């Protein structure tokens, strides 16, 4: 059984690699005096390599996707763009290597052109990390994908890790893979690739790089305590920082405490934005029926856009406390 599963995975992997390199078109290296020969691409490492027949000492490598270009300088016959520089390739890409000698400039350019039915790749790919270490990724079938299209997700969590296929697919009523569930996820920059298979058609792939800390859905603050003194008309609020996957730095958080006080005759709201885990608030306004007055405390927090702090997420918790 294990041998059978291994054979299936290896077959899918060979088809995936073959599809990626179906159209790798290079120019300029047929020129007889060009020292740059046999330019090739290692897909998963985003590494270009070539042969130099003149032993030149400096090269410039570049990759262009749409209007985005990344260029690096190297002193040997390979260059690794890596996860921090690499761009998704499902829309096509152009790779080039340029070198100079004392009397000439040499350049080789290779273009990757995606193969398959236009509109057959997945659409609306998105991922979210929740409960600290769980992640869901979902997508929709390509609008022009044949009815028998099945999709497969592969991902690499860091440059040194092996490429893995999804272990727990989310399926629709017809058994088509429409997402993937992950557990024990560690926050790094990850590369995702979803390709497809069909009995009679070639399916385009989709790939994306994601800084995982940007998709972490934060937990609410924990162990919230509110102590209000009716005599002094003040409250002390304390809480613990939410648990997160990627960092233990409190500086990643900014909290907003919103206090709404209600009684039979009036209502007022006060907000305070802080970075601490404790706040003391005092208000001397006279309110009737103080024994029936309630305070609603709303905590929201957001990132301070510090490196490796969560982006674009804010949650809140509420606690209704009677003044004492």
């Amino acid at each position: 059984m294990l041998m059978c599963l291994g054979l299936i995975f290896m077959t899918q992997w060979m088809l995936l690699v073959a599809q990626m390199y179906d159209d790798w078109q290079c120019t300029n290296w047929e020129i007889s005096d060009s020292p740059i020969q046999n330019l090739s691409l290692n897909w998963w490492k985003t590494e270009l390599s070539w042969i130099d027949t003149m032993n030149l000492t400096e090269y410039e490598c570049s990759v262009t996707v749409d209007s985005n270009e990344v260029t690096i300088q190297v002193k040997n016959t390979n260059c690794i763009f890596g996860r921090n520089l690499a761009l998704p390739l499902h829309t096509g890409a152009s790779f080039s290597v340029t070198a100079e000698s004392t009397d000439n400039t040499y350049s080789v350019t290779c273009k990757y052109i995606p193969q398959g039915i236009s509109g057959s790749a997945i659409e609306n790919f998105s991922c979210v990390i929740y409960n600290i270490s769980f992640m869901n990724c979902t997508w929709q079938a390509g609008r022009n994908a044949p009815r028998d299209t099945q999709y497969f997700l592969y991902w690499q969590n860091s440059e040194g890790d092996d490429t893995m296929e999804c272990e727990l697919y989310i399926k629709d009523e017809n058994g088509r893979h429409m997402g993937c569930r992950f557990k024990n996820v560690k926050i790094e920059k990850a590369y995702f690739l979803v390709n497809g298979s069909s009995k009679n058609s070639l399916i385009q792939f989709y790939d994306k790089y994601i800084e995982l800390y940007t998709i972490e859905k934060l937990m609410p603050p924990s162990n919230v305590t509110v102590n209000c003194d009716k005599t002094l008309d003040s409250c002390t609020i304390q809480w613990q920082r939410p648990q997160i996957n990627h960092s233990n730095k409190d500086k990643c958080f900014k909290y907003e405490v919103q206090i709404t006080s209600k009684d039979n005759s009036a209502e007022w709201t006060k907000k305070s934005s802080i970075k601490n885990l404790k706040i003391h608030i005092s208000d001397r306004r006279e309110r009737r029926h103080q024994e029936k007055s309630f305070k609603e405390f709303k905590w929201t927090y957001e990132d301070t856009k510090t490196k490796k702090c969560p982006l674009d997420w804010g949650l809140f918790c509420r606690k209704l406390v009677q003044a004492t």
Side-chain angles (χ1 to χ4, degrees):
M1 181 63 180
L2 291 175
M3 291 180 62
C4 181
L5 291 174
L7 180 60
I8 293 173
F9 176 80
M10 183 60 67
T11 301
Q12 291 176 348
W13 182 249
M14 291 173 66
L15 289 172
L16 173 65
V17 173
Q19 175 180 326
M20 288 177 178
Y21 286 94
D22 244 358
D23 209 342
W24 178 248
Q25 301 177 356
C26 299
T27 60
N28 295 345
W29 65 7
E30 69 278 3
I31 301 175
S32 59
D33 63 347
S34 175
I36 303 173
Q37 299 288 324
N38 298 339
L39 183 64
S40 61
L41 171 68
N42 182 314
W43 182 280
W44 292 104
K45 292 183 178 180
T46 57
E47 177 183 12
L48 282 177
S49 59
W50 59 92
I51 296 174
D52 178 6
T53 60
M54 289 181 59
N55 295 321
L56 300 171
T57 57
E58 292 188 3
Y59 309 88
E60 180 180 274
C61 305
S62 67
V63 55
T64 303
V65 176
D66 297 327
S67 59
N68 301 307
E69 181 177 6
V70 174
T71 300
I72 58 176
Q73 306 286 335
V74 295
K75 294 183 179 297
N76 47 35
T77 57
N78 72 298
C79 56
I80 301 176
F81 293 97
R83 292 286 173 255
N84 293 326
L85 298 177
L87 299 168
L89 302 180
H90 63 271
T91 59
S94 177
F95 296 87
S96 68
V97 176
T98 302
E100 292 185 0
S101 65
T102 55
D103 56 357
N104 207 344
T105 298
Y106 305 97
S107 179
V108 172
T109 299
C110 294
K111 293 183 178 179
Y112 173 74
I113 303 173
Q115 300 297 288
I117 301 173
S118 177
S120 60
I122 64 163
E123 300 175 354
N124 299 324
F125 180 84
S126 64
C127 300
V128 60
I129 292 176
Y130 62 97
N131 289 348
I132 303 174
S133 62
F134 293 87
M135 180 172 69
N136 280 1
C137 293
T138 58
W139 58 82
Q140 294 176 345
R143 58 189 179 281
N144 295 329
R147 292 176 61 88
D148 70 335
T149 301
Q150 182 60 285
Y151 294 107
F152 303 92
L153 180 146
Y154 302 87
W155 76 303
Q156 190 177 45
N157 197 31
S158 66
E159 292 184 39
D161 289 349
D162 294 332
T163 302
M164 300 170 287
E165 185 184 359
C166 172
E167 295 183 351
L168 184 59
Y169 283 108
I170 301 170
K171 303 178 182 180
D172 64 11
E173 63 276 8
N174 298 316
R176 175 183 281 176
H177 300 160
M178 303 300 291
C180 181
R181 293 188 176 95
F182 305 83
K183 58 183 179 179
N184 300 322
V185 175
K186 57 182 179 180
I187 296 293
E188 293 178 352
K189 187 170 184 176
Y191 175 67
F192 297 87
L193 184 144
V194 182
N195 77 322
S197 64
S198 174
K199 184 178 296 183
N200 299 313
S201 304
L202 186 61
I203 307 302
Q204 292 181 329
F205 72 92
Y206 175 90
D207 64 334
K208 186 174 185 178
Y209 291 89
I210 300 179
E211 291 277 10
L212 296 185
Y213 73 87
T214 66
I215 60 169
E216 184 176 5
K217 186 175 182 181
L218 301 178
M219 301 289 289
S222 58
N223 295 332
V224 179
T225 61
V226 181
N227 296 307
C228 294
D229 189 316
K230 178 180 178 181
T231 304
L232 299 176
D233 200 9
S234 64
C235 295
T236 300
I237 311 164
Q238 291 180 280
W239 60 91
Q240 290 183 354
R241 193 209 63 189
Q243 284 188 286
I244 54 177
N245 185 306
H246 69 278
S247 173
N248 290 318
K249 298 178 180 178
D250 287 331
K251 67 181 181 181
C252 288
F253 292 91
K254 182 174 66 177
Y255 304 86
E256 180 185 89
V257 180
Q258 176 179 312
I259 302 173
T260 301
S261 182
K262 303 175 182 179
D263 59 26
N264 292 339
S265 61
E267 176 179 326
W268 58 270
T269 298
K270 182 175 182 178
K271 291 184 179 180
S272 297
S273 294
I274 60 173
K275 294 183 180 180
N276 299 320
L277 300 176
K278 179 179 179 179
I279 185 172
H280 179 80
I281 297 178
S282 177
D283 193 276
R284 293 293 183 179
R285 304 178 203 201
E286 181 179 354
R287 298 186 299 275
R288 298 178 183 177
H289 308 292
Q290 178 67 39
E291 67 279 1
K292 296 182 180 179
S293 175
F294 287 85
K295 299 180 186 295
E296 182 183 60
F297 301 90
K298 177 183 177 183
W299 291 264
T300 64
Y301 53 89
E302 60 186 4
D303 69 286
T304 55
K305 301 199 181 300
T306 306
K307 185 178 180 182
K308 293 196 173 180
C309 291
L311 301 177
D312 302 326
W313 284 101
L315 299 178
F316 67 88
C317 62
R318 294 175 182 266
K319 189 176 184 71
L320 194 62
V321 180
Q322 184 171 5
T324 57

